Amino acid sequence: MNDVMNEDWPYPYPKELLYSAGILPREVNEADDDVGGAEGERRHQPPQAQLLLELARDVELFHTPDGEAWAVVPVGDHQETWPIRAKAKGGGNRLGKWLRLRFFDRYKRPPSAQALSDALATLEAMADAGRAQEVFCRVAAAGEAVYLDLGGPEWRAVEVTAEGWRIVQDPPVRFKRPRGLLPLPEPERGGSLEELRPFVNLADEAGWRLLVAWLVGALSPWGPYPILILQGEQGSAKSTTARVLRALVDPNAAPLRTAPRDERDLTIAANNGWLLAADNLSGIPPWLSDAFCRIATGGGFATRELYSDADEVIFEATRPVLLNGIEAVATRHDLLDRAIILDLPPIPEERRRPEADFWAAFEVVRPRVLGALLDAVAAALRNRDTVRLERLPRMADFAVWVTAAEEALPWPAGGFMEAYAGNRAEAVEAALEADAVAAAVRSFMESRETWEGTATELLNELEAYAPERAHEGKGWPNTPQSLSGRLRRAATFLRQVGIDADWGSREPGTGRRLWVLKRLKRESIVTVVTPVTEAKETRTAQGFLGVTVGVTMKSPIVTTVTESSQQKPLQDAVCDNCDGCDEDSATFSTEDTLGGASVSSVSSESSPLRPSATAESPGAGDPLAPLLDVADEADDAAWLARVEELRPKLERLTPAEIRALAQKGWDLLERGGSATAWGVLLANAVKD
């Protein structure tokens, strides 16, 4: 073998033998042959993999907390964030293509596939040894600022702070650009959210407020997020409205998609986009309903890694979710508890317009509407630490965020909570109507105050109250265990309609676990917020008595009743004619009890809703006189009993009679009588 050894080849074996056996990488030879200048220099040229690493010297390397390797690559006058191993559009690796092109520009030869693979593997190892940094999709937060990736080729973003918003070139956060992500327009100042109204099909003012609130919430980097559900018959523009909303938050090449086949598809979609939108759903199976809940409020998903028997891939994400369908797609209580449901009205033929004209007009206003949404995000950042809600509803963080943004939203303060409370009440009713067990429990407890027994006994009792169709399918439990599970799921909504379903106590002697059903006193009253408006605006509101009345809203009256056993005397009421209170108004803070509920109220002394002292009063023989007499006695039990007795007459009250009752209510409010809550509610029910 010595005859093959020489000064240029120190090995005792022929070159081809060592190459073919894999003992020496052929790239060493290729680098010697293909790269370099003079013949004497080629023999000392570094391997191609090393040259590729030299070309990547200006690339910033890091890894995410879950171990994925990323690179910040200089491209022209900006930087882009690329995964080191992921495939680029059209096949291949984006960073690999960039390195291949650099190598070719420098050495006028393509690098070998093995050299490129070795270089990428080395870069990945270097990234893993470097610092950890999160990578975001579309929306991110850093400190007290929110960043929105515009998605354009310049890789610019919008920075939103409490002072306002501006476009920045190099944000302090790293954004990824999954396949399908489309750019947002550059936002413009001076726009109004009212410019969005012609492009969304909504039934009423409450729906408009909730839709805008969901958009503002979707631009927050901090969840949880309510699930927006658009329902309506064919031709009600459900899909078009959903596309409009997505175009303002997270435009995508496939804006609306079918329901995912499994959790793996759902988590991949959540990992590669900010907003999840499912179109034309006919129903949501239980596993998907639970998965949407976890995505909206935050949760992790684990699935087996492809081509592996033991390794898991873990996805953790919190995302805004948008669903639409003809039917009531959400029926499970936990999904309804997280949802905003908007029923879209059909569009008359005379209001239809060509799709091309519609989208052309929308593109004109889209930058201005986006700017107005960013103004609202800035307001939320400015005010969120000072917002105090009397009662925190489900999705409390979302409610606080939108309330904090209201100074930049097109309605008076308190308007969102008014609409949100009403929508949640409708969701509760929808959930109970769709649940055969809950409906049977409500019917069963109509003539009872309490009931106690085992799940077996309760199942037998409820059989008589179950709809016949429930027995034909899977809507009715067949075993005590399944009944207990259904009751636990419905317990939250049943409690909101006055039925407490408690499970857990054990029967003395036998140790059997018992269900206790109990009718609750009507202790909780939904928050009523009457905002300030310049012009009169007549709407309908559902009062405590179940009577729908017209309400003219002109001055702010906020009433909230929360559960409490505490009682404060009248001397604790405060009226300050000082800072924050003008001479013509007074602020009262009183608390009293009404069946265990505490009442806090804020009213205006000169409120236009307050009846004048000369309001027409019922005569001595009027059936309302006994009610007023009972109110004077400040006896809660007698008052409630009298209301029930006179309910049919109350439902037919004339405006004059309502004014008389409201006047009595104001008197009780100022005296701190125990019927304070009734006084405030009746004052809110005055008709012009």
Side-chain angles (χ1 to χ4, degrees), residues 298-528:
F301 298 82
T303 184
R304 183 177 62 83
E305 188 173 11
L306 290 179
Y307 313 113
S308 171
D309 293 328
D311 295 332
E312 278 188 329
V313 177
I314 298 177
F315 298 92
E316 185 169 1
T318 306
R319 296 286 187 265
V321 178
L322 170 60
L323 312 175
N324 77 70
I326 295 177
E327 305 172 5
V329 297
T331 56
R332 289 171 68 86
H333 296 241
D334 46 1
L335 180 58
L336 286 166
D337 204 26
R338 294 166 170 83
I340 291 174
I341 302 175
L342 301 181
D343 290 300
L344 308 189
I347 299 178
E349 299 235 349
E350 61 271 15
R351 286 186 54 202
R352 296 189 179 277
R353 56 196 299 190
E355 189 166 345
D357 295 348
F358 176 92
W359 289 110
F362 175 69
E363 286 302 320
V364 172
V365 304
R366 185 157 71 125
R368 295 169 54 81
V369 173
L370 179 58
L373 285 171
L374 295 174
D375 290 338
V377 173
L381 291 172
R382 190 162 52 247
N383 301 319
R384 61 176 177 162
D385 292 335
T386 61
V387 169
R388 297 292 181 270
L389 298 179
E390 290 290 335
R391 297 182 68 184
L392 291 177
R394 191 73 165 88
M395 315 300 289
D397 297 280
F398 163 72
V400 170
W401 177 261
V402 177
T403 301
E406 279 191 307
E407 71 176 43
L409 297 178
W411 57 75
F416 160 70
M417 284 302 296
E418 177 187 17
Y420 192 44
N423 194 264
R424 283 190 51 76
E426 293 175 3
V428 169
E429 283 299 327
L432 296 178
E433 288 176 3
D435 189 333
V437 170
V441 169
R442 293 181 77 177
S443 299
F444 176 66
M445 291 301 293
E446 281 183 357
S447 59
R448 296 171 175 82
E449 292 297 323
T450 61
W451 182 91
E452 182 175 314
T454 64
T456 301
E457 294 167 344
L458 182 58
L459 183 59
N460 293 333
E461 292 278 4
L462 294 179
E463 289 283 348
Y465 296 89
E468 289 186 12
R469 65 181 183 276
H471 294 284
E472 299 173 358
K474 298 181 179 179
W476 189 255
N478 296 320
T479 66
Q481 290 80 5
S482 59
L483 173 65
S484 294
R486 294 281 294 276
L487 279 176
R488 283 195 294 271
R489 185 177 291 274
T492 300
F493 285 178
L494 283 172
R495 194 173 298 112
Q496 294 186 43
V497 296
I499 300 174
D500 182 49
D502 180 62
W503 183 69
S505 62
R506 294 193 178 273
E507 186 178 33
T510 66
R512 296 185 304 169
R513 185 162 287 182
L514 302 178
W515 274 101
V516 178
L517 305 181
K518 183 188 303 182
R519 288 189 62 84
L520 301 173
K521 292 183 179 180
R522 196 71 179 273
E523 295 177 348
S524 58
I525 304 175
V526 174
T527 301
V528 178

Side-chain angles (χ1 to χ4, degrees), residues 509-583:
T510 66
R512 296 185 304 169
R513 185 162 287 182
L514 302 178
W515 274 101
V516 178
L517 305 181
K518 183 188 303 182
R519 288 189 62 84
L520 301 173
K521 292 183 179 180
R522 196 71 179 273
E523 295 177 348
S524 58
I525 304 175
V526 174
T527 301
V528 178
V529 181
T530 306
V532 179
T533 56
E534 291 298 327
K536 293 183 179 180
E537 185 178 2
T538 302
R539 305 178 190 165
T540 61
Q542 192 74 18
F544 183 82
L545 304 179
V547 183
T548 301
V549 296
V551 181
T552 302
M553 299 187 291
K554 293 165 63 178
S555 68
I557 297 179
V558 182
T559 304
T560 305
V561 179
T562 58
E563 295 182 2
S564 174
S565 59
Q566 302 298 319
Q567 191 172 14
K568 290 187 179 181
L570 180 61
Q571 55 265 32
D572 287 344
V574 178
C575 176
D576 295 326
N577 287 318
C578 52
D579 293 341
C581 180
D582 58 42
E583 296 179 356

Side-chain angles (χ1 to χ4, degrees), residues 62-70 124 127-128:
F62 68 96
H63 66 274
T64 59
D66 60 358
E68 189 176 1
W70 290 79
E124 187 173 20
D128 188 61

Side-chain angles (χ1 to χ4, degrees), residues 288-299:
L288 184 56
S289 178
D290 294 342
F292 279 141
C293 291
R294 291 200 301 276
I295 285 286
T297 57

Side-chain angles (χ1 to χ4, degrees), residues 146-288:
V146 173
Y147 293 89
L148 176 67
D149 181 17
L150 290 177
E154 304 87 1
W155 282 70
R156 295 189 298 169
V158 180
E159 179 186 71
V160 189
T161 65
E163 287 71 38
W165 56 269
R166 65 188 181 114
I167 297 175
V168 296
Q169 181 62 65
D170 294 309
V173 295
R174 298 300 179 191
F175 287 108
K176 61 182 178 180
R177 296 284 180 83
R179 187 182 303 182
L181 184 143
L182 295 180
L184 283 163
E186 186 170 310
E188 297 178 4
R189 302 184 189 277
S192 169
L193 289 170
E194 292 291 345
E195 296 179 76
L196 177 61
R197 272 192 189 258
F199 301 96
V200 291
N201 181 38
L202 298 169
D204 52 28
E205 174 69 17
W208 163 248
R209 294 179 184 181
L210 292 172
L211 181 139
V212 171
W214 183 85
L215 280 173
V216 175
L219 289 174
S220 167
W222 304 286
Y225 305 98
I227 299 171
L228 181 62
I229 301 177
L230 305 177
Q231 299 176 170
E233 63 182 69
Q234 295 177 1
S236 56
K238 300 180 297 298
S239 297
T240 300
T241 300
R243 287 190 177 94
V244 166
L245 300 182
R246 176 139 202 184
L248 290 169
V249 176
D250 183 30
N252 193 278
L256 305 179
R257 307 180 185 184
T258 59
R261 293 174 299 176
D262 51 35
E263 284 191 355
R264 179 183 177 84
D265 286 351
L266 180 65
T267 52
I268 290 174
N271 192 53
N272 291 317
W274 175 247
L275 192 155
L276 296 180
D279 185 41
N280 199 24
L281 300 177
S282 298
I284 302 178
W287 72 266
L288 184 56

Side-chain angles (χ1 to χ4, degrees), residues 530-680:
T530 306
V532 179
T533 56
E534 291 298 327
K536 293 183 179 180
E537 185 178 2
T538 302
R539 305 178 190 165
T540 61
Q542 192 74 18
F544 183 82
L545 304 179
V547 183
T548 301
V549 296
V551 181
T552 302
M553 299 187 291
K554 293 165 63 178
S555 68
I557 297 179
V558 182
T559 304
T560 305
V561 179
T562 58
E563 295 182 2
S564 174
S565 59
Q566 302 298 319
Q567 191 172 14
K568 290 187 179 181
L570 180 61
Q571 55 265 32
D572 287 344
V574 178
C575 176
D576 295 326
N577 287 318
C578 52
D579 293 341
C581 180
D582 58 42
E583 296 179 356
D584 296 328
S585 66
T587 301
F588 297 93
S589 176
T590 65
E591 290 195 3
D592 201 359
T593 59
L594 177 63
S598 68
V599 183
S600 61
S601 61
V602 179
S603 62
S604 171
E605 180 68 18
S606 58
S607 168
L609 285 180
R610 177 170 182 163
S612 64
T614 58
E616 182 180 348
S617 300
D622 193 283
L624 299 176
L627 181 61
L628 300 181
D629 293 337
V630 175
D632 283 332
E633 297 173 5
D635 184 329
D636 284 334
W639 174 264
L640 291 170
R642 198 62 174 154
V643 166
E644 289 300 319
E645 180 182 338
L646 297 176
R647 180 183 294 273
K649 292 184 173 60
L650 291 172
E651 293 176 351
R652 297 191 297 272
L653 290 179
T654 66
E657 290 167 335
I658 291 178
R659 289 192 182 93
L661 283 176
Q663 178 64 57
K664 178 61 66 174
W666 281 105
D667 294 341
L668 291 168
L669 175 63
E670 293 174 352
R671 294 207 314 266
S674 65
T676 300
W678 293 95
V680 177

